[in-house]
Amino acid sequence: MLGVLLQIRARGTRSPEQGSSLAELAEHIVPHCATLRSLGPVAAPMSGAVSDLSARMILDSRGNPTIEVDCCVGGLLRGRAVVPSGASVGTHEALELRDGGTVWAGKGVDGAVSHVNGEIRDALVGMDVADQRAIDTALIELDGTANKARLGANAILGASMACMRAAAEGSLWHHIAGSGPSSMPVPQMNILNGGAHATSNVDVQEFMVVPHGFDNFPEALRSGVETYHALKSVLKEEGLLGGVGDEGGFAPNLSRNEDGLRYVLDAIERAGYAPGNQISIALDVAAQEFCQGDGYHMDGQVLSGTELGDLYSEWLDSYPIVSIEDPFGEDDWESWTEFTVREGRRVQIVGDDLYATNPGRLLRGIDLCATNAILVKLNQIGTVTETIEVIRMARDAGFGTVISHRSGETSDDVIADLAVGTDAGQIKTGAPARSDRTAKYNQLLRIAEQIDVYTDLF
Ligand code: PGA
Ligand code: ZN
């Protein structure tokens, strides 16, 4: 089945207005090496035993509690990590442990914090901080459940990431890459928010711009930022400018979802860029959020999976869309396969809720030709090692890989280094606004001083 998918991708071509051919895209999926201007600080792992591990509650970008973990080696604080949190959470994700009850509206993390300060600390103290696999295996075995429900994926991931940071001597991206290739990722920048991330009437969760037609990351980022500001003036002129959504994108009410595409296209042009050649559009439909027993509720209609796929095909005919994430519900495998077989040649189809960064679900998707790409979120699976294995598995299958933030974030910028260090090719981290989102873009700007190869995926 996979062979079919790769063939479909390699054969298809986009119209000139829509940019490069998908044959070119397929070529770029082949692992590529980065040209390193300089390796920066030495990246040999810092060995030494974990001497202490401790957690505390801090607040995320939505004002909800989350967990921060510190890892000490030789009595010194060497690594700190904060765990993000989703709003459109898939059923198949590892479990985020919350206290329930009335305090913090049920979202307290005292239980997860005490698991880190107790059992997890006891298990990890004395282990070699550089042996990430052994640390993550110990965490998985200590928890003992299939979805990390006993200790909580938030407690486990916080510990796993804090150890990774503690082990990195110098650049984290270089520590992750080891001797493997690295490159600057193409960002999917969410400039118009809907769905579960806004209080508007828009069903599609994310309208993103993808600045792929540039020589380097800083130029690409600048074009995305200019488009974000251009969208603000477009919406202002239409009388549609209100607040922003959870990921920093504008959150207008629209008469129909397609209007979001039109305004984003207007903004790309107004910013002075060529749609399809320099900047294209990506969507995260997050269709599970409007998938009910009788079908998909969109624009006041109830659509079958096939009808919804037909609507996407019309959008693909009319707009420079290069990527669609979660076009169908998380268990509607049939609709995914039908759509990917038909449209996988001209658009990247990304599984987020569908896969939940879970290797078993990814294998099923590869087998069924359900998508040609995967969204990767550390807290969907719960350890660094499992996350990196899923990325490798997807790449081996020829899939695109998009490293992603969550809608609830903090200033932790680990996904920037993860995207570069795994040579993932793409990153999704919201609008270029609000410090929880710009933290990742700013870290990428720092890394771009060391890596000048920009992966032109589209
Ligand atoms: P979430 O949204 O973090 O609320 O799940 C992000 C996404 O769906 O990609
Ligand atoms: Zn998503």
Side-chain angles (χ1 to χ4, degrees):
M1 195 50 117
L2 178 63
V4 176
L5 173 60
L6 293 177
Q7 251 179 325
I8 311 175
R9 297 183 73 190
R11 268 204 318 264
T13 33
R14 304 177 67 75
S15 66
E17 304 76 50
Q18 287 182 306
S20 332
S21 77
L22 262 279
E24 281 170 40
L25 184 150
E27 274 171 34
H28 284 294
I29 292 293
V30 173
H32 38 268
C33 286
T35 303
L36 300 179
R37 204 160 53 209
S38 113
L39 292 179
V42 180
M46 237 257 338
S47 54
V50 175
S51 60
D52 196 11
L53 201 72
S54 59
R56 67 180 65 79
M57 184 281 291
I58 66 166
L59 295 174
D60 75 10
S61 56
R62 276 192 282 248
N64 292 325
T66 189
I67 182 167
E68 177 174 84
V69 179
D70 290 350
C71 176
C72 294
V73 178
L76 296 174
L77 174 61
R78 299 288 317 201
R80 171 171 287 167
V82 193
V83 178
S85 177
S88 60
V89 178
T91 311
H92 306 288
E93 297 190 20
L95 186 114
E96 175 187 74
L97 194 64
R98 297 280 185 187
D99 299 332
T102 53
V103 178
W104 294 110
K107 290 181 180 291
V109 290
D110 288 354
V113 166
S114 64
H115 287 153
V116 174
N117 292 338
E119 280 186 67
I120 291 178
R121 179 186 180 282
D122 292 348
L124 298 194
V125 166
M127 289 189 74
D128 179 2
V129 75
D131 195 343
Q132 187 77 45
R133 180 172 293 275
I135 284 170
D136 290 342
T137 304
L139 288 165
I140 292 163
E141 284 172 1
L142 183 67
D143 174 75
T145 67
N147 65 347
K148 303 185 175 64
R150 194 178 75 79
L151 297 171
N154 41 353
I156 291 171
L157 180 64
S160 176
M161 291 195 304
C163 290
M164 173 173 70
R165 276 231 166 86
E169 181 93 57
S171 314
L172 181 58
W173 66 266
H174 197 203
H175 170 73
I176 294 169
S179 55
S182 315
S183 59
M184 295 307 297
V186 176
Q188 298 189 358
M189 306 169 73
N190 181 9
I191 62 173
L192 199 157
N193 296 186
H197 299 163
T199 46
S200 69
N201 63 355
V202 180
D203 304 303
V204 172
Q205 184 176 278
E206 302 171 21
F207 293 80
M208 297 173 280
V209 285
V210 187
H212 52 82
F214 296 87
D215 291 337
N216 57 56
F217 177 81
E219 268 180 41
L221 182 67
R222 176 166 60 81
S223 74
V225 174
E226 288 169 358
T227 304
Y228 175 73
H229 293 300
L231 180 61
K232 185 174 187 176
S233 28
V234 168
L235 293 174
K236 193 168 181 196
E237 280 168 25
E238 299 285 334
L240 290 171
L241 193 61
V244 295
D246 287 356
E247 297 185 353
F250 305 109
N253 277 313
L254 301 176
S255 323
R256 51 185 195 141
N257 284 276
E258 191 181 334
D259 287 355
L261 289 166
R262 197 161 52 79
Y263 293 133
V264 170
L265 186 57
D266 285 353
I268 295 169
E269 283 168 347
R270 181 168 301 197
Y273 294 101
N277 285 320
Q278 290 178 299
I279 302 183
S280 296
I281 298 175
L283 297 176
D284 178 4
V285 182
Q288 182 63 32
E289 296 293 315
F290 56 87
C291 172
Q292 296 177 21
D294 54 349
Y296 294 95
H297 291 234
M298 179 183 264
D299 283 335
Q301 288 179 294
V302 183
L303 305 176
S304 68
T306 300
E307 288 166 336
L308 186 58
D310 290 345
L311 179 65
Y312 297 140
S313 291
E314 283 171 28
W315 290 355
L316 288 174
D317 291 340
S318 310
Y319 301 93
I321 298 171
V322 288
S323 183
I324 305 184
E325 178 184 330
D326 279 357
F328 306 100
E330 63 192 4
D331 289 308
D332 186 3
W333 293 95
E334 217 173 292
S335 296
W336 282 89
T337 298
E338 183 185 322
F339 186 66
T340 298
V341 167
R342 191 174 77 228
E343 298 290 12
R345 72 190 69 184
R346 63 168 171 162
V347 69
Q348 173 174 265
I349 299 158
V350 186
D352 170 15
D353 290 349
L354 180 73
Y355 295 137
T357 316
N358 181 301
R361 292 185 68 84
L362 173 60
L363 277 179
R364 186 169 176 197
I366 293 168
D367 191 42
L368 293 175
C369 194
T371 72
N372 53 22
I374 182 173
L375 199 81
V376 175
K377 291 168 168 168
L378 284 149
N379 78 328
Q380 283 183 326
I381 186 70
T383 63
V384 169
T385 303
E386 290 168 289
T387 304
I388 291 175
E389 274 172 8
V390 166
I391 296 168
R392 190 170 302 133
M393 194 186 291
R395 294 197 53 147
D396 287 350
F399 274 33
T401 48
V402 188
I403 309 298
S404 175
H405 66 161
R406 298 307 303 246
S407 50
E409 270 289 343
T410 66
S411 54
D412 190 299
D413 54 13
V414 69
I415 60 164
D417 288 82
L418 184 68
V420 175
T422 58
D423 195 25
Q426 297 174 71
I427 191 169
K428 177 175 107 152
T429 189
R434 306 298 189 256
S435 40
D436 40 301
R437 311 298 146 183
T438 55
K440 284 71 164 174
Y441 291 120
N442 291 339
Q443 174 65 357
L444 286 167
L445 285 171
R446 288 177 206 112
I447 299 172
E449 292 172 1
Q450 298 182 322
I451 298 181
D452 56 13
V453 166
Y454 183 54
T455 54
D456 181 6
L457 277 182
F458 296 102

